[in-house]
Amino acid sequence: QSALTQPASVSGSPGQSITISCTGTSSDVGGYNYVSWYQQHPGKAPKLMIYDVSNRPSGVSNRFSGSKSGNTASLTISGLQAEDEADYYCSSYTSSSTFVVFGGGTKLTVL
Amino acid sequence: QVQLVESGGGLVKPGGSLRLSCAASGFTFSDYYMSWIRQAPGKGLEWVSYISSSGSTIYYADSVKGRFTISRDNAKNSLYLQMNSLRAEDTAVYYCARSGPADYWGQGTLVTVSS
């Protein structure tokens, strides 16, 4: 069982917006602003999409945004495109000895 | 451009050892923390280990503590993961990644632990 909880799957139609949640505890998501989101297409290495809760690396579309409320972080993708279909993982710094924890991943299907 | 190239994966018997390497280029390696992250077949990501830029600070996942050792050679722009007492559940693709947040990843190297 992963330390952070994500829905197993979400779906949306092209042009719509979707939100993926990532729930942790006060020892990780809720306690620090060090939440990241990664996109992974089949057979490829993950790609950083959001860091420090809401910051986008250079080159990442502004259709991707991140936020946090309490122990739950969220990734929102607006204007869904076919190329957004992928697995998405959240991660967070944690005060436990593990240091970094991942969510179990969410499969996004673009209908 | 930033490049990370892993090597050293392969098939090993339970209880065996393997050493993974990650060759870095395109950035000042000695300025960055580095991580090893793995992904079992069909499963999610699992952070394995993390090392500071100087190598003085190291963390391990509980699942590998006492069996795996992370190290780096800043003169050679290289990151390593020595894996001992390997188990079937260590079977995964192992990625090296430049950290803070893992902003650059290698292509991964497959480690298979099986008799």
Side-chain angles (χ1 to χ4, degrees):
Chain A
Q1 188 165 351
S2 302
L4 305 180
T5 301
Q6 298 180 233
S9 63
V10 298
S11 63
S13 300
Q16 288 185 332
S17 295
I18 63 95
T19 296
I20 300 171
S21 61
C22 171
T23 302
T25 69
S26 58
S27 296
D28 38 64
V29 173
Y32 308 94
N33 289 324
Y34 294 130
V35 176
S36 299
W37 289 91
Y38 301 89
Q39 176 192 65
Q40 186 180 35
H41 288 108
K44 300 293 188 182
K47 175 186 177 183
L48 179 66
M49 304 303 284
I50 296 287
Y51 68 96
D52 295 351
V53 176
S54 60
N55 293 300
R56 273 189 314 274
S58 174
V60 172
S61 171
N62 59 10
R63 298 185 298 105
F64 292 82
S65 62
S67 63
K68 190 184 83 167
S69 177
N71 295 336
T72 299
S74 298
L75 173 71
T76 298
I77 308 174
S78 59
L80 267 180
Q81 300 179 359
E83 69 210 48
D84 299 331
E85 186 163 292
D87 294 325
Y88 291 84
Y89 295 90
C90 63
S91 76
S92 173
Y93 169 81
T94 172
S95 58
S96 76
S97 61
T98 312
F99 190 65
V100 174
V101 289
F102 279 100
T106 298
K107 181 176 181 58
L108 168 62
T109 301
V110 180
L111 302 170
Chain B
Q1 72 280 22
V2 173
Q3 275 201 311
L4 297 169
V5 180
E6 302 94 337
S7 61
L11 175 64
V12 61
K13 288 182 168 54
S17 298
L18 216 51
R19 189 194 196 206
L20 305 184
S21 298
C22 173
S25 61
F27 65 102
T28 304
F29 182 72
S30 58
D31 284 349
Y32 287 86
Y33 290 30
M34 297 294 295
S35 293
W36 286 100
I37 298 163
R38 69 184 180 183
Q39 186 170 34
K43 301 298 185 182
L45 299 172
E46 180 187 17
W47 172 82
V48 173
S49 186
Y50 171 100
I51 186 169
S52 64
S53 53
S54 66
S56 60
T57 301
I58 287 173
Y59 293 93
Y60 296 101
D62 290 342
S63 58
V64 307
K65 204 171 293 183
R67 300 187 299 120
F68 289 11
T69 302
I70 191 172
S71 63
R72 64 190 297 160
D73 186 335
N74 287 342
K76 294 183 177 180
N77 292 337
S78 292
L79 176 72
Y80 306 102
L81 186 68
Q82 177 67 42
M83 304 185 296
N84 299 331
S85 302
L86 282 162
R87 306 166 180 167
E89 53 265 35
D90 295 318
T91 294
V93 174
Y94 285 74
Y95 296 100
C96 70
R98 193 176 81 169
S99 300
D103 58 353
Y104 286 94
W105 298 58
Q107 83 289 349
T109 187
L110 177 62
V111 172
T112 303
V113 184
S114 174
S115 55

